[in-house]
Amino acid sequence: MRSFPHFPHPQFGRMFRHAKHPSPHHGALFWVAHAAVLLGLLLIATEVSAQQGAGLRAQYDQLAPQLSKSPFQKPIVLSSADDTEHPTGEMHAVVDHPFGTLSGALRDADAWCDLLTLPANVKRCAVEDDQAPGATLHMAVGRKFDQPIADAYALDFRFQVLAAQPQYLLVEMSASKGPMGTSNYRLTLEAVPIDAKRSFVRLRYAYVNNFAARVATSAYLSTSGRDKVGFTVVGRDDDGRPRYVGGIQGIAERNTMRYFLAIESYLDTLPTPADQRLDRRLRDWFAATERYARQLHEQSLEEYVAMKHKEARRQVAIAPGE
């Protein structure tokens, strides 16, 4: 994934340092040059964003046949990497929301806190704004059932809007450390408009497993997680039923799908009155996951909704970062 370029020449860096304390001899020409540099950098950033947006639109054109024949009952293409050290899941999908609505909502860190708490194992999320561009999402991640916040793992995501153009959106969340020896988390969303009513998104979820994390994952997959599967079909049994990928790929695919369904549920419920939105969003997300019960079912609707309302009430009394 490309990011915005750094200064293309050391002279620009010197120019900005001097700009902090311009000498009395700096007149109109200095400030004109200063403005020209800023405009040049803005144009470069815009050009990069335009290229990225064009690349994502080209992916939509390439994937159109797969999207139209998707086994997910909606236009989705899901893939994963068979890599125990660098688990990765990637989703390409068409969503029934105008790009302006999607981009306006998902540029907001608070929106991501709202949608990331829909999965059962995310116990809380609070946004802390800081002086640098972006914000920090203070999250608590734990079991998929009710548990005290103190028993959950603190996970801090750095949220950044890397591009917000009329035809392209790129946001990223990153965390250097995670539970059980995991690290370098990246959750990246890109989007472009398809037409007046639809958008095309690319969601990528990745992290790093060190040796201790790989041992813990292996133990999980051989015990309580041994029957867990992902979405990629790797064969058929004697009765012709699909056999799904398991292991670390299954984990990456399940998490990627949960996050994508959370994004959809968040966008779908934006028109709902504010006092009804949480309950509607919870029920919408649960119903979406139940379409893929073989992979995503964890608990009953009543258990899930009661747990999430309890977590929401508890979060009201917790300040960000505590």
Side-chain angles (χ1 to χ4, degrees), residues 265-278:
S265 296
Y266 179 85
L267 294 172
D268 289 347
T269 54
L270 284 175
T272 305
D275 61 338
Q276 304 171 30
R277 197 171 295 153
L278 174 60

Side-chain angles (χ1 to χ4, degrees), residues 109-110 112-114 117 122-129 135-140 155-157 315 318-322:
D110 288 297
W112 283 92
C113 254
D114 287 345
T117 50
V122 180
K123 301 301 173 184
R124 66 162 291 214
C125 180
V127 175
E128 180 182 6
D129 293 319
T136 299
L137 274 57
H138 297 288
M139 298 173 62
L155 184 61
D156 293 338
F157 272 101
Q315 177 158 314
I318 302 176
E322 289 186 1

